[in-house]
Amino acid sequence: MLQYLTSNSCVRLIQSHKSTWYFLLLVLGYILYLIFGAVVFSSVELPYEDLLRQELRIIKKLFLQDNECLSEERLEKFLEKALEASNYGVSILNNASANWNWDFTSSLFFASTVLSTTGYGHTAPLSDGGKAFCIVYSVLGIPFTLLFLTAVVQRIMIFSTRRPVMYVSTRWGLSKPLVAMVHATLLAILAASCFFLIPAAIFSSLEENWNFLESFYFCFISLSTIGLGDYVPGESFNQRFRQFYKVGITVYLLLGLVVMLVVLETFCELQQLKTLRKMFYLKKEKPQDRLAILEHDHLAFTSVSHQNNSTSLREDKTKNVPFVSVPELASPGGDDPMIG
């Protein structure tokens, strides 16, 4: 009997805090996913890093052997300075001296990466004034960008998702969740083709050292706003029409970001995903529930007040009515004539 009551109590406890348990499972799953990613990246990339370190040591050793007049200390200082300049987008190589990082089109490209929070990191402000302006520009510009993108996506969603889904479901009498799922899938395929596959093919033909996988990798890293900065277009030597190329890339990034947000918003409006999200959210108190509680409290207060008023009135009436003594009825002489 005790075991039965205990099991029922545990079941009631779990059911009453179901969203909390789902949330804890979500946190645990996210932590495990992070650990899984770390294990895979470490196992895949660590051997390549070790191989690259060994190659650099060999090249450095051979260079010092061929140039005995140069000490290792002076070479270290030179390489340190060159790498520091490279972190700011300035290269010491002769084939990169013709490309300026802060002409108008390059600055426009940099501004778009800052406002979209992509941030490739291949170019960074050199001066203190530039760093200070970047902070102020970002503080004002990032919320402005979010407002702009939200307004644009809200208007596009009406014509790209809501009206087509409503028209098809009404015209052919199909289930609206089913139509929304098919529409979201087709929209994702179209967006992937127009903003990942086709641009990847274009970048692989325009960039000399990029294959299709590297170009597709750049498109995904850019439009997902990860922005690692290991691949940046328009930085190769003697890039033809570099100014127009940079402007075109800026337009591609902004349009691609809008399209990605439209696709994500379309999937977020699916009934299946809404049901899934509700599993992990805290339940909100419904307006009708609050109204019922208020009405119940009001009725309870009214009934209590009415009872108190009735009791008070009865007490007042009792106090105001005078006491009347009723005399006993007795027959004359003490005999009742009805009793023989």
Side-chain angles (χ1 to χ4, degrees):
M1 184 66 180
L2 181 61
Q3 183 178 2
Y4 175 75
L5 293 176
T6 305
S7 61
N8 285 342
S9 300
C10 292
V11 171
R12 286 195 299 269
L13 179 63
I14 293 174
Q15 289 180 351
S16 61
H17 299 83
K18 189 181 294 184
S19 62
T20 303
W21 293 109
Y22 283 144
F23 176 73
L24 292 177
L25 289 175
L26 179 65
V27 173
L28 178 61
Y30 189 76
I31 293 174
L32 291 177
Y33 193 72
L34 285 176
I35 295 174
F36 169 73
V39 171
V40 172
F41 282 127
S42 178
S43 60
V44 172
E45 296 297 328
L46 192 59
Y48 286 91
E49 181 185 0
D50 182 61
L51 180 61
L52 183 59
R53 288 177 181 272
Q54 293 179 9
E55 291 179 355
L56 287 176
R57 292 193 192 99
I58 293 173
I59 293 174
K60 178 182 175 182
K61 183 178 180 180
L62 293 177
F63 180 81
L64 290 174
Q65 289 177 357
D66 295 338
N67 300 272
E68 297 180 354
C69 60
L70 181 64
S71 64
E72 184 176 0
E73 182 179 358
R74 292 179 60 189
L75 179 61
E76 289 283 347
K77 291 182 178 180
F78 172 76
L79 292 177
E80 181 180 355
K81 191 66 176 178
L83 291 175
E84 182 181 357
S86 179
N87 291 333
Y88 287 96
V90 179
S91 177
I92 199 173
L93 300 176
N94 290 329
N95 58 5
S97 59
N99 296 334
W100 292 90
N101 293 323
W102 295 106
D103 54 7
F104 177 76
T105 54
S106 299
S107 300
L108 180 65
F109 178 70
F110 174 77
S112 67
T113 60
V114 169
L115 295 183
S116 62
T117 67
T118 303
Y120 291 113
H122 72 294
T123 303
L126 299 174
S127 63
D128 293 339
K131 294 174 183 177
F133 176 75
C134 184
I135 294 173
V136 177
Y137 184 72
S138 302
V139 168
L140 298 176
I142 292 176
F144 186 32
T145 303
L146 292 176
L147 176 62
F148 166 72
L149 293 176
T150 302
V152 171
V153 170
Q154 189 269 340
R155 281 161 173 77
I156 294 177
M157 285 289 295
I158 296 175
F159 301 98
S160 67
T161 299
R162 298 192 180 105
R163 286 186 179 178
V165 170
M166 183 63 67
Y167 175 78
V168 173
S169 61
T170 305
R171 173 82 176 183
W172 283 280
L174 299 175
S175 173
K176 188 176 179 180
L178 177 61
V179 174
M181 176 65 75
V182 175
H183 173 267
T185 304
L186 294 177
L187 185 64
I189 294 174
L190 180 63
S193 301
C194 295
F195 287 89
F196 287 98
L197 297 177
I198 296 177
I202 294 175
F203 283 126
S204 61
S205 62
L206 294 178
E207 299 291 333
E208 297 178 357
N209 300 322
W210 292 15
N211 56 31
F212 182 81
L213 176 59
E214 293 169 336
S215 301
F216 187 87
Y217 169 80
F218 163 76
C219 295
F220 177 80
I221 293 298
S222 299
L223 297 185
S224 60
T225 68
I226 298 174
L228 296 178
D230 48 350
Y231 288 92
V232 180
E235 300 297 324
S236 59
F237 176 62
N238 289 334
Q239 178 72 53
R240 292 187 303 172
F241 308 108
R242 185 173 183 269
Q243 308 292 328
F244 297 102
Y245 190 33
K246 284 287 187 179
V247 174
I249 296 170
T250 302
V251 174
Y252 161 74
L253 292 177
L254 293 177
L255 288 179
L257 185 58
V258 170
V259 171
M260 292 302 103
L261 291 176
V262 169
V263 174
L264 289 176
E265 184 67 20
T266 301
F267 274 94
C268 287
E269 289 189 355
L270 294 178
Q271 188 62 39
Q272 295 85 346
L273 290 183
K274 288 182 179 179
T275 305
L276 180 63
R277 292 201 307 269
K278 289 180 180 178
M279 294 173 56
F280 307 103
Y281 292 169
L282 289 174
K283 292 184 178 180
K284 295 181 179 179
E285 191 175 346
K286 296 181 180 179
Q288 54 266 28
D289 295 339
R290 291 197 297 267
L291 183 60
I293 292 173
L294 292 175
E295 290 179 352
H296 179 269
D297 293 341
H298 177 71
L299 291 174
F301 177 76
T302 304
S303 61
V304 170
S305 300
H306 180 69
Q307 291 176 1
N308 292 335
N309 292 333
S310 300
T311 305
S312 300
L313 288 173
R314 286 198 299 269
E315 291 178 354
D316 293 340
K317 288 180 179 179
T318 305
K319 291 178 181 179
N320 295 329
V321 173
F323 178 77
V324 179
S325 60
V326 180
E328 294 182 0
L329 297 177
S331 61
D335 294 331
D336 193 346
M338 298 297 294
I339 300 175

